[in-house]
Amino acid sequence: MLSTLRRIVQEVNSALDLEEALRLIVHLVRNAINTDVCSVYLLDFNRKRYTLMATEGLNPESVGKVSLGVSEGLVGQVGLREEPVNIQNAASHPKFIYLKETGEEKYNAFLGVPIIHQAKVLGVLVVQHVEDRQFDEGEESFLVTVSAQLAGVIAHAKASGEFAEFANREKGGNRIEGVKGSTGIAIGHAAVIFPPADLDAVPDRKPDSIAKEVRIFRVALEAVRQDIKNLQVRLEDSLRMEERDLFDVYLRVLDKNSLGGEIVKKIREGHWAQGALRIVVQHYVRNFELMEDPYLRERSADVKDLGMRILAKLQQVGPVRLDYPDDTILIGEDVTTSMVMEAPREKLAGIVSLRGSRNSHMTIVARALGIPTVVGAQELPIHQVEGNLLIVDGYRGIIFTHPSEELLKYYGEILEEEKQLVAGLEAYRDLPAVTKDGHNIALWVNTGLLADVARSLNQGAEGVGLYRTEIPFMVRDRFPSENEQEAIYREQLQAFAPRPVTMRTLDIGGDKALPYFPIVEENPFLGWRGIRITLDHPEIFLVQIRAMIKASVGLDNLRILMPMISSVLEVEEACYLIHRAYHELVEEGFKVKMPPVGVMIEIPAAVHLTKNIAERVDFISVGSNDLTQYLLAVDRNNARVAYLYHSLHPSVLHALKYIVDVCHQENKSVSICGEMAGEPASALLLMAMGFDSLSMSAASLLKVKAAIRQVDIKTVKEWLLEAMKMDNPEVVRSYLDLEMELAGLGGLVRPGK
Ligand code: PEP
Ligand code: MG
């Protein structure tokens, strides 16, 4: 059964559209269960009706015509109860409705299972049998398994189908849900970015010149043919006859009458060369994979290989992405930090990533740059959006494709309001962050990119609460040397001097990868990360510490911060190395003060050790991004569980308050540098808890300052008292939103509200 299941999922997965996917499902499931009928009914959310979308066994004429209300018939029962309905004699069931057009009167046995994706019923999968017998337990659980596995494929195909339909109608606005990444609104044109050498990732794109694409393709094809011929000659003596014959097969497949010819035909239909290649190769691969003969099935790998070879040549001819529209909405399956950094900043209006989550690294960088971003937009049909006009609503985590005039006008007004808000915030630049009743708090910035320095100083930052050193490490092809690091760090320290700059030691691992230091792990967030790596590699750690300390000569505004600490042993080992590096430098003649050393509390184990850790260091900084992830056991990078990631969760709030209280008992200063510090309502709550400083991206600084300057600490402490009594993060969120609204600060949360 397992191999049948795998095969069904694989075949359905490679269907070109929803219609084909559903046709394959009913055909394959009917054969697998050996039953008379298999049908799929899909739910139309707007009409609140199930429509028969595919069947094998019922009257094919009724497909697309027969429909049922959400509570009608046995299909409606399956959807309402969200569980299988398995009956020996369907007609005897009180909810049975006879659908004349389908010709189902002769079928007695009925088994229907819901198709559920992300807790939403998408439709119902039904099998029926003439025989008056109940489907057995094995058949029922098989159908449940098939349905659960196919739900995601159906959801995706359905969204793409709706998208294509929308593209034809060209009116209204098609809404696609994602996760809030970086606040703000962007209206612009989609520029799809994809990793090179991945045929499946190549998007559809309309070429400027068909003749040019045909030419590019022919050059690439000829180059691959030549490579194969060369290989054939080179391996002549070392291969057996039949193995050598394979090269002739390859050359024939590439012939203009075969694959080569079909790709040219596709280009002439209006596709660019890489897109035409993807479509034709995927089609061939699918056909080979469906063959019963294992030898022929194996040939799918050959076609894939040839496809990759041609793609490699094509991508040499024309790079992955050179042209960015002036109002680029950068879109990718998994947009990485380097993809964002490679795009010209002045053209980058918004970002949409199908994967990732609010606290993935790319998103943090996007926030630092102030680019409206939506992540986890899994239903966006990435192959079909190139060049389309889109709206990205980073406040709500929504994207609109094919926006109507009305929608464009609405969002245009919000954009205008945003501009005015930003202009209005300018007035706060040189004012202190002090409440109306005189409570003062330091507002620091998180940095890492070079551009952060100017932006932070421009916003009146009082210091750097977190300099993510891994970012300059990421844009190189090897570890930077001690001198190179010293120069990079000096630039930061000098730009902010005499203000303090908190430099975090290398925090790689998790979702922060260095291209030249790959770490492959099953569970990277619980693996070799942060201080664990640098303590295992003292040579890397010591070079970094030496570079930091040397860079601070004459400035003395450096603070060193250690990430991912889970025990006092790690603190002691790291402190020992830091002191060793310092004393060596002093011995070498450097005149420099020993920098304060701090620890990030971002692991639950460290929360309970706050006192023991605080005793050993000079300051504490809370990494609420990771602390939330680890306290709630929610991967900060996983869009599927993003709805569970709440920094305002009561467990997080209580942990934060505890850390602040213990640090103050130990007379140690405590700051917070996670993303929640940059969200105005959360920032007020953190101030009420007693944090000495808040560190955030420069883009958030003036908003947070504006909020602080318009409240009394006394009032915000009352909010905190109320919030700490609540046991539900959603309630905390709406309570805070309401208080912000009542205090006249709603516009800071989201303009246009
Ligand atoms: C955090 O975890 O809150 C933090 C500031 O560090 P990073 O997001 O870089 O892991
Ligand atoms: Mg962290």
Side-chain angles (χ1 to χ4, degrees):
M1 264 325 195
L2 196 58
S3 63
T4 315
L5 183 68
R6 203 173 293 140
R7 186 131 187 254
I8 295 178
V9 174
Q10 196 183 6
E11 287 185 27
V12 175
N13 235 325
S14 59
L16 285 178
D17 53 29
L18 180 65
E19 201 181 321
E20 190 187 347
L22 297 180
R23 206 159 18 81
L24 279 168
I25 292 173
V26 293
H27 172 69
L28 298 167
V29 171
R30 183 181 181 224
N31 282 355
I33 298 197
N34 197 14
T35 180
D36 296 324
V37 176
C38 180
S39 319
V40 176
Y41 295 80
L42 287 191
L43 181 59
D44 180 333
F45 297 111
N46 295 328
R47 288 174 56 221
K48 299 205 169 20
R49 291 190 78 76
Y50 288 100
T51 306
L52 176 66
M53 297 298 286
T55 184
E56 240 182 49
L58 298 183
N59 177 9
E61 299 281 302
S62 58
V63 169
K65 295 187 187 128
V66 167
S67 72
L68 291 151
V70 273
S71 55
E72 281 179 354
L74 296 174
V75 167
Q77 283 307 294
V78 176
L80 277 184
R81 291 163 54 175
E82 298 187 356
E83 61 180 8
V85 169
N86 187 354
I87 342 177
Q88 186 167 344
N89 188 324
S92 66
H93 193 282
K95 285 285 178 187
F96 176 76
I97 289 184
Y98 171 51
L99 298 169
K100 191 161 94 271
E101 304 88 327
T102 62
E104 66 177 340
E105 59 277 11
K106 51 183 178 292
Y107 303 109
N108 287 304
F110 173 100
L111 167 60
V113 300
I115 304 167
I116 299 180
H117 179 63
Q118 291 177 341
K120 253 201 221 154
V121 176
L122 294 182
V124 175
L125 178 61
V126 174
V127 287
Q128 289 170 281
H129 220 305
V130 171
E131 241 178 286
D132 195 344
R133 70 151 177 103
Q134 190 138 8
F135 283 95
D136 68 27
E137 251 181 41
E139 289 165 324
E140 183 176 318
S141 45
F142 176 76
L143 206 64
V144 168
T145 318
V146 170
S147 171
Q149 292 238 9
L150 292 178
V153 185
I154 294 175
H156 189 74
K158 195 164 173 269
S160 305
E162 279 162 6
F163 182 87
E165 206 181 292
F166 228 96
N168 294 334
R169 280 196 275 132
E170 295 211 345
K171 60 178 185 193
N174 192 18
R175 173 192 165 108
I176 291 162
E177 304 254 346
V179 176
K180 290 179 253 183
S182 168
T183 54
I185 304 293
I187 303 176
H189 288 88
V192 178
I193 189 146
F194 50 96
D198 181 354
L199 193 57
D200 292 332
V202 172
D204 286 343
R205 201 178 279 179
K206 284 197 179 60
D208 295 334
S209 152
I210 288 190
K212 189 173 144 215
E213 291 299 305
V214 170
R215 218 168 35 247
I216 290 174
F217 172 70
R218 289 211 167 117
V219 171
L221 187 72
E222 196 38 50
V224 172
R225 285 176 63 87
Q226 202 48 52
D227 282 356
I228 292 172
K229 282 183 196 156
N230 295 346
L231 205 63
Q232 197 174 20
V233 173
R234 217 174 63 226
L235 300 177
E236 200 159 32
D237 300 331
S238 49
L239 291 181
R240 288 199 309 260
M241 184 68 166
E242 60 274 27
E243 287 163 343
R244 264 182 284 145
D245 284 352
L246 200 60
F247 288 108
D248 290 326
V249 176
Y250 272 28
L251 290 171
R252 274 202 302 281
V253 172
L254 292 176
D255 200 71
K256 67 174 185 305
N257 298 319
S258 184
L259 198 77
E262 276 191 50
I263 295 167
V264 170
K265 200 165 138 227
K266 263 280 166 265
I267 297 175
R268 296 215 159 105
E269 284 171 19
H271 292 271
W272 70 317
Q274 296 187 36
L277 174 73
R278 189 202 82 231
I279 296 169
V280 174
V281 168
Q282 281 182 340
H283 179 73
Y284 265 78
V285 166
R286 201 153 35 95
N287 284 347
F288 275 120
E289 279 174 349
L290 292 181
M291 291 185 181
E292 292 297 335
D293 180 340
Y295 175 79
L296 288 176
R297 237 188 2 253
E298 281 299 304
R299 301 283 67 78
S300 68
D302 298 336
V303 178
K304 247 187 235 166
D305 179 51
L306 287 175
M308 290 306 294
R309 281 168 188 268
I310 303 173
L311 184 71
K313 298 284 181 199
L314 282 175
Q315 293 185 336
Q316 266 172 27
V317 178
V320 178
R321 187 96 228 174
L322 259 189
D323 53 321
Y324 293 85
D326 288 342
D327 51 359
T328 290
I329 308 281
L330 193 69
I331 299 191
E333 183 80 37
D334 194 359
V335 179
T336 60
T337 309
S338 54
M339 286 175 182
V340 173
M341 293 201 282
E342 269 164 25
R345 176 64 193 98
E346 68 286 0
K347 293 191 171 186
L348 199 51
I351 302 171
V352 178
S353 180
L354 273 60
R355 295 218 210 110
S357 188
R358 183 168 164 72
N359 286 293
S360 45
H361 205 244
M362 180 284 286
T363 324
I364 290 175
V365 170
R367 264 198 300 275
L369 293 171
I371 305 168
T373 301
V374 173
V375 287
Q378 291 160 337
E379 308 302 346
L380 185 77
I382 193 164
H383 291 308
Q384 301 170 23
V385 291
E386 176 67 30
N388 285 6
L389 180 66
L390 303 180
I391 297 174
V392 177
D393 181 343
Y395 292 106
R396 293 190 292 163
I398 304 171
I399 306 132
F400 289 97
T401 65
H402 310 96
S404 64
E405 283 303 317
E406 254 167 274
L407 205 62
L408 282 168
K409 186 162 167 282
Y410 169 73
Y411 274 104
E413 280 164 11
I414 299 185
L415 261 178
E416 196 43 48
E417 242 179 88
E418 255 190 347
K419 264 194 216 138
Q420 282 170 12
L421 176 71
V422 171
L425 289 175
E426 280 294 308
Y428 292 96
R429 227 191 76 151
D430 299 317
L431 299 175
V434 58
T435 60
K436 288 196 290 183
D437 52 353
H439 178 84
N440 213 317
I441 183 165
L443 295 191
W444 290 356
V445 278
N446 294 347
T447 60
L449 302 166
L450 204 61
D452 286 335
V453 177
R455 202 172 310 115
S456 307
L457 291 169
N458 211 5
Q459 309 285 307
E462 295 166 59
V464 176
L466 172 67
Y467 171 61
R468 289 185 166 98
T469 56
E470 53 281 357
I471 298 183
F473 277 65
M474 273 176 194
V475 290
R476 291 186 156 65
D477 53 11
R478 57 170 173 76
F479 282 108
S481 67
E482 187 172 315
N483 285 344
E484 283 169 331
Q485 288 187 51
E486 185 188 331
I488 300 166
Y489 303 151
R490 178 93 189 162
E491 211 169 336
Q492 278 279 320
L493 293 164
Q494 213 152 26
F496 286 92
R499 288 163 276 205
V501 174
T502 314
M503 295 200 164
R504 179 172 71 184
T505 63
L506 197 61
D507 186 19
I508 50 171
D511 70 333
K512 293 176 225 164
L514 296 181
Y516 47 89
F517 192 69
I519 303 167
V520 182
E521 286 179 321
E522 294 244 324
N523 214 341
F525 278 116
L526 297 183
W528 206 42
R529 246 201 98 175
I531 200 77
R532 300 172 184 180
I533 296 180
T534 43
L535 286 181
D536 281 352
H537 280 281
E539 77 286 12
I540 296 174
F541 190 68
L542 285 167
V543 163
Q544 186 174 38
I545 299 295
R546 283 176 58 90
M548 286 177 181
I549 298 177
K550 276 161 70 182
S552 73
V553 172
L555 300 169
D556 291 325
N557 58 340
L558 167 70
R559 298 169 13 122
I560 297 177
L561 181 62
M562 297 177 287
M564 281 295 288
I565 293 288
S566 62
S567 71
V568 288
L569 200 69
E570 286 166 339
V571 181
E572 283 167 358
E573 261 186 70
C575 284
Y576 163 74
L577 290 173
I578 294 171
H579 280 93
R580 204 180 99 187
Y582 172 73
H583 288 297
E584 277 170 12
L585 287 169
V586 171
E587 271 169 33
E588 287 169 33
F590 289 94
K591 297 213 169 1
V592 61
K593 272 210 294 212
M594 173 68 198
V597 175
V599 159
M600 284 190 85
I601 303 264
E602 49 184 350
I603 295 180
V607 174
H608 296 282
L609 291 173
T610 303
K611 181 177 176 344
N612 314 65
I613 293 172
E615 280 168 0
R616 289 167 166 81
V617 290
D618 303 302
F619 66 95
I620 293 291
S621 179
V622 180
S624 54
N625 303 337
D626 277 313
L627 186 59
T628 304
Q629 136 163 292
Y630 294 124
L631 268 178
L632 306 184
V634 176
D635 180 346
R636 64 193 262 187
N637 226 1
N638 183 342
R640 192 180 285 179
V641 288
Y643 69 100
L644 293 172
Y645 187 98
H646 281 290
S647 292
L648 292 174
H649 190 290
S651 305
V652 179
L653 295 183
H654 285 279
L656 294 175
K657 182 79 177 85
Y658 172 80
I659 297 167
V660 173
D661 291 346
V662 175
C663 286
H664 287 167
Q665 278 158 25
E666 293 299 314
N667 284 324
K668 296 288 157 71
S669 71
V670 56
S671 70
I672 178 161
C673 56
E675 294 302 304
M676 68 186 296
E679 193 276 307
S682 307
L684 293 181
L685 218 55
L686 296 168
M687 174 179 74
M689 281 186 192
F691 276 100
D692 301 299
S693 60
L694 308 176
S695 191
M696 64 203 74
S697 63
S700 307
L701 204 127
L702 291 184
K703 275 190 198 175
V704 169
K705 198 192 278 185
I708 290 170
R709 290 187 60 91
Q710 292 177 64
V711 294
D712 282 323
I713 185 75
K714 198 169 129 277
T715 314
V716 186
K717 280 193 171 161
E718 282 162 18
W719 298 0
L720 176 67
L721 219 59
E722 282 307 309
M724 295 294 274
K725 286 186 217 150
M726 296 171 181
D727 56 9
N728 179 336
E730 304 283 1
V731 179
V732 177
R733 178 79 263 172
S734 46
Y735 166 71
L736 281 182
D737 282 351
L738 183 65
E739 291 294 358
M740 291 289 282
E741 202 65 52
L742 293 174
L745 300 174
L748 291 176
V749 181
R750 184 166 87 85
K753 261 175 79 154

